Amino acid sequence: MTDEPTRRRPTLDEVAERAGVSRSAASRALNNGPNVSRAKREAVLRAIKELGYVPNPTARALATQQAGAVALIISGEDPAVLADPFYGQVIAGASTVLEETDLHLMLCLATSARGQVRVKQLLQARAVDGVMLMSLRGDDPLARLALEADVPVVFGGKPLHGQVPFYVDVDNAHGARQATDHLISLDRTRIATLTGPLDTDVGLARRRGYLEALTLAGLPWRAEEAGDFTERGGIAAMEALLARHPDLDAVFAANDNMAAGALRVLARAGRAVPAEVAVVGFDGLAISEITEPPLTTVHQPILNIGREMTRMLLALIAGERPSPLILPTTLVRRESA
Amino acid sequence: MTDEPTRRRPTLDEVAERAGVSRSAASRALNNGPNVSRAKREAVLRAIKELGYVPNPTARALATQQAGAVALIISGEDPAVLADPFYGQVIAGASTVLEETDLHLMLCLATSARGQVRVKQLLQARAVDGVMLMSLRGDDPLARLALEADVPVVFGGKPLHGQVPFYVDVDNAHGARQATDHLISLDRTRIATLTGPLDTDVGLARRRGYLEALTLAGLPWRAEEAGDFTERGGIAAMEALLARHPDLDAVFAANDNMAAGALRVLARAGRAVPAEVAVVGFDGLAISEITEPPLTTVHQPILNIGREMTRMLLALIAGERPSPLILPTTLVRRESA
DNA sequence: TTGTAAGCGTTATCAT
DNA sequence: ATGATAACGCTTACAA
């Protein structure tokens, strides 16, 4: 409740003076480093309290050459990707881990061309101490950029091309196989799939799992239509699929959003789910519980993805060499299959 | 494709030397300021290209006393609030606006006690050039903290207590009235409401709108149950409501998530929607399109909230004095009412 | 243990 | 128009 319009915040020098010690001593006390007598340390701490001193993070960053922040970069044309609660979960996971550290979270949405340039500069300028990169499509230049930028990088999901040393992923192929196997166990023989974008590793891997399961089961029938992980896309894809293959008796959708779309199309088409057409999704997001009927789905631990990516990045920053991580999936049975 | 392990990035001094000019000239050229001859300017620009120079944002921040970032602070115990796509939209809106500036977006989730402290320090240390504050409950200390922190602040939604000079909000009371009026126009007379948290302005305002509409229409019947804006909460609240008031013939839920929950409860209870019980939600999120039946809802321009908050913050940072903004709502009719 | 002084990489002031 | 030089506020050798 001071009424000075904009009083300058105290500097460490002022703290030192007040405490009657040198600035270096004050600095050491502040960061409770060694080589400070008890007496001085306490004097400094007291002065800090009295003056309401808060260290200037920028100055500190300049001196230590550490930015004090990590970036979560979400690539993709459409800023609306964030409407997908998926990312919210990842962010929440990352955030909870970072909260225990001194690092802040910078969120970069690289959508426009200008956005791309800014991300590039962010990397080259080393404006952050580490980077998490998500949802790369095709051979997004961001991957190379990040890798070359001499900054710790962890990928959320393997990028399509090239090997990356550090990533957190989900066992997509296996999850897809679980889904498809489940459908097969329901005696379905004409199982179609709504794939994700086929210029992503996720999209491809889930499709691969689907195909493997069918092959292993000796089922010859297959049909697929590419979607884009949105519900709207799922609707379009399901309509196309149904038109081409009216005899299908099951659908594996590569995520819940598309599965929800498929459900709507099937309902409109008068196909009973699961009686006539069984449907399985992927993700286990909230949406899977509220569709009609509730969705059987392959659950992946999304919150953990964010958490583990962050932990891995912290390890990297700390100079360790963590191993890539592949998180397991579990089939959650509900009513759609 | 250099193979030096970690070559230091060039500094402005090196650029200057290479261009054969003083550092100050180089700086002026870099920021294309005045007082630089064409020749020198070009020489500097060339040197920058050749050396691949990228200015050090930290150093710049220290010199200019500007952080180069703004923070979006989302208060709330549970990091899972982010699972609500609502925030994703706000973030996306903010992000697209910031992309056109030189500011980055810092995301702060103030959940744990430690998180709170960090946010406090962030503010006091002026580690950001401005702050957007969302979803404050009760008399969250964050509001005062931010207001006192001598940093531009815009609020997303008015906080419950106290006046704040700069905020972006939605006309919640009016929206609630629209919803309730619609229900009334359907000749419903026993209209209940699932409120949001009553320690928030949103929660209170929507409840107020509901009550006003009933009063204006001369309808005496009312019934309410408090929820928490989650679907799970909506389910619990709807169950309680239905137990206490089995004769209700309409429900205004203060957001779509709760409305979705209500729909599930009603379905389980064998109440036909909208025939026996009409339901209206609030938000207009994707979820409202996929419930069964699709939800009639009061749509608010969430992406715009993020955009406008950011624009307002930018204006504030630029030294202007923007007016508070209240965005309009529109009723979207679907099948639930 | 203590303090002096030299950075960290910019921008900004001020003579020239 | 130009270029020294002094901030910016902190950390960290190094010397005492």
Side-chain angles (χ1 to χ4, degrees):
Chain A
M1 292 301 180
T2 58
D3 34 33
E4 282 89 321
T6 300
R7 192 175 46 193
R8 234 179 23 71
R9 292 186 303 110
T11 70
L12 191 51
D13 286 301
E14 285 156 20
V15 170
E17 183 175 340
R18 170 102 173 207
V21 306
S22 70
R23 178 176 59 231
S24 42
S27 173
R28 289 191 279 256
L30 170 61
N31 304 307
N32 50 63
N35 298 342
V36 195
S37 67
R38 246 187 77 110
K40 283 203 197 294
R41 187 181 305 265
E42 280 169 2
V44 170
L45 261 28
R46 196 170 336 113
I48 287 181
K49 275 250 164 59
E50 291 170 358
L51 263 39
Y53 168 78
V54 180
N56 179 327
T58 307
R60 181 174 278 179
L62 183 59
T64 61
Q65 302 283 55
Q66 302 197 318
V70 300
L72 175 59
I73 302 180
I74 298 178
S75 183
E77 315 289 288
D78 191 0
V81 284
L82 270 192
D84 191 334
F86 180 92
Y87 292 103
Q89 299 271 69
V90 173
I91 294 173
S95 184
T96 54
V97 173
L98 287 177
E99 217 158 88
E100 301 304 317
T101 73
D102 293 317
L103 294 167
H104 286 287
L105 180 63
M106 200 126 251
L107 196 61
C108 302
L109 263 276
T111 87
S112 66
R114 195 166 190 294
Q116 301 272 5
V117 172
R118 290 187 66 208
V119 170
K120 184 174 169 184
Q121 295 206 336
L122 186 83
L123 293 172
Q124 294 178 338
R126 249 187 159 292
V128 288
D129 297 319
V131 168
M132 296 182 272
L133 222 43
M134 291 211 61
S135 72
L136 296 183
R137 302 187 52 160
D139 39 5
D140 194 318
L142 228 48
R144 266 205 24 215
L145 224 54
L147 254 14
E148 290 176 4
D150 177 38
V151 80
V153 185
V154 355
F155 288 80
K158 289 199 288 276
L160 193 52
H161 302 303
Q163 302 290 346
V164 299
F166 308 108
Y167 62 88
V168 174
D169 206 351
V170 148
D171 196 344
N172 288 304
H174 180 250
R177 221 164 339 154
Q178 287 176 292
T180 314
D181 282 343
H182 175 64
L183 258 9
I184 294 171
S185 77
L186 262 27
D187 292 328
R188 308 296 165 134
T189 56
R190 293 180 303 280
I191 305 172
T193 186
L194 261 33
T195 74
L198 294 180
D199 57 350
T200 64
D201 180 72
V202 224
L204 248 27
R206 293 185 187 169
R207 173 167 173 273
R208 188 172 354 112
Y210 156 84
L211 291 172
E212 284 173 5
L214 292 185
T215 302
L216 254 48
L219 288 176
W221 199 98
R222 43 208 67 184
E224 69 174 75
E225 184 70 32
D228 60 359
F229 282 152
T230 70
E231 192 194 343
R232 176 177 238 94
I235 291 178
M238 188 67 224
E239 279 168 350
L241 211 48
L242 209 49
R244 281 212 317 278
H245 303 280
D247 58 332
L248 56 81
D249 61 10
V251 176
F252 162 55
N255 82 344
D256 288 343
N257 292 339
M258 293 196 299
L263 250 24
R264 299 185 67 179
V265 172
L266 291 169
R268 285 207 294 259
R271 307 289 185 107
V273 174
E276 299 174 53
V277 179
V279 177
V280 178
F282 203 120
D283 270 355
L285 290 177
I287 188 180
S288 64
E289 301 179 29
I290 63 172
T291 52
E292 179 53 35
L295 211 49
T296 291
T297 189
V298 179
H299 178 266
Q300 59 169 328
I302 303 182
L303 220 100
N304 272 349
I305 296 180
R307 268 205 280 267
E308 295 302 342
M309 284 179 68
T310 312
R311 292 215 180 95
M312 187 174 289
L313 186 57
L314 292 177
L316 235 33
I317 291 174
E320 301 165 29
R321 234 186 165 281
S323 306
L325 204 58
I326 297 186
L327 301 170
T329 57
T330 57
L331 185 74
V332 175
R333 286 210 53 181
R334 284 198 273 259
E335 298 168 31
S336 70
Chain B
M1 292 301 178
T2 58
D3 33 34
E4 285 89 319
T6 299
R7 191 177 47 193
R8 232 177 27 69
R9 293 184 303 108
T11 69
L12 191 51
D13 286 301
E14 285 156 22
V15 170
E17 184 176 341
R18 170 101 172 208
V21 306
S22 69
R23 174 172 68 234
S24 33
S27 173
R28 288 192 279 256
L30 169 61
N31 303 307
N32 50 62
N35 298 342
V36 196
S37 67
R38 247 187 77 111
K40 283 202 196 294
R41 188 182 305 265
E42 280 170 4
V44 170
L45 261 28
R46 196 170 335 113
I48 287 181
K49 275 251 165 58
E50 291 170 357
L51 263 38
Y53 168 79
V54 180
N56 179 327
T58 307
R60 180 174 278 182
L62 184 60
T64 61
Q65 303 282 56
Q66 303 197 317
V70 299
L72 175 59
I73 302 179
I74 299 178
S75 182
E77 315 289 289
D78 191 0
V81 283
L82 271 192
D84 191 333
F86 179 92
Y87 292 104
Q89 299 271 68
V90 173
I91 294 173
S95 185
T96 54
V97 173
L98 287 177
E99 218 158 86
E100 301 304 315
T101 73
D102 294 317
L103 294 167
H104 285 287
L105 180 63
M106 200 126 252
L107 196 61
C108 302
L109 247 5
T111 87
S112 66
R114 195 166 189 295
Q116 301 272 6
V117 172
R118 289 186 66 207
V119 169
K120 185 174 168 180
Q121 296 206 335
L122 186 83
L123 292 173
Q124 294 178 337
R126 249 187 159 293
V128 289
D129 297 319
V131 168
M132 296 182 270
L133 221 44
M134 291 210 61
S135 73
L136 296 183
R137 302 187 50 160
D139 38 6
D140 194 318
L142 228 49
R144 267 204 25 214
L145 225 53
L147 255 13
E148 289 176 4
D150 178 37
V151 80
V153 185
V154 354
F155 288 80
K158 288 199 288 278
L160 192 52
H161 303 304
Q163 303 291 344
V164 298
F166 308 108
Y167 62 87
V168 173
D169 205 350
V170 147
D171 197 343
N172 288 304
H174 180 250
R177 221 164 341 159
Q178 286 175 294
T180 313
D181 283 342
H182 176 65
L183 257 10
I184 293 170
S185 77
L186 262 28
D187 291 329
R188 307 296 163 135
T189 54
R190 290 180 305 280
I191 304 171
T193 186
L194 261 33
T195 73
L198 294 181
D199 57 351
T200 64
D201 180 72
V202 222
L204 249 26
R206 293 185 187 169
R207 174 166 171 274
R208 188 173 352 114
Y210 155 84
L211 291 172
E212 284 173 6
L214 291 185
T215 302
L216 254 47
L219 288 176
W221 199 97
R222 42 209 68 182
E224 69 173 75
E225 184 72 31
D228 60 358
F229 283 151
T230 71
E231 193 193 344
R232 179 178 235 92
I235 291 178
M238 189 67 224
E239 279 168 349
L241 211 47
L242 208 50
R244 280 213 317 278
H245 304 280
D247 57 332
L248 56 80
D249 61 11
V251 176
F252 162 56
N255 82 341
D256 289 343
N257 292 338
M258 295 197 297
L263 249 26
R264 299 185 67 181
V265 172
L266 291 168
R268 285 207 295 261
R271 307 289 185 107
V273 175
E276 298 174 54
V277 179
V279 177
V280 178
F282 203 120
D283 270 355
L285 290 177
I287 188 181
S288 64
E289 300 178 29
I290 63 172
T291 52
E292 179 52 39
L295 211 49
T296 291
T297 190
V298 179
H299 177 266
Q300 57 170 328
I302 302 183
L303 221 102
N304 272 349
I305 296 181
R307 267 206 282 266
E308 294 302 342
M309 282 179 69
T310 312
R311 292 213 181 99
M312 189 174 290
L313 186 57
L314 291 176
L316 235 33
I317 291 174
E320 301 164 30
R321 233 184 165 281
S323 305
L325 203 58
I326 296 187
L327 301 171
T329 57
T330 57
L331 185 75
V332 176
R333 285 209 56 179
R334 283 196 274 259
E335 298 167 32
S336 70

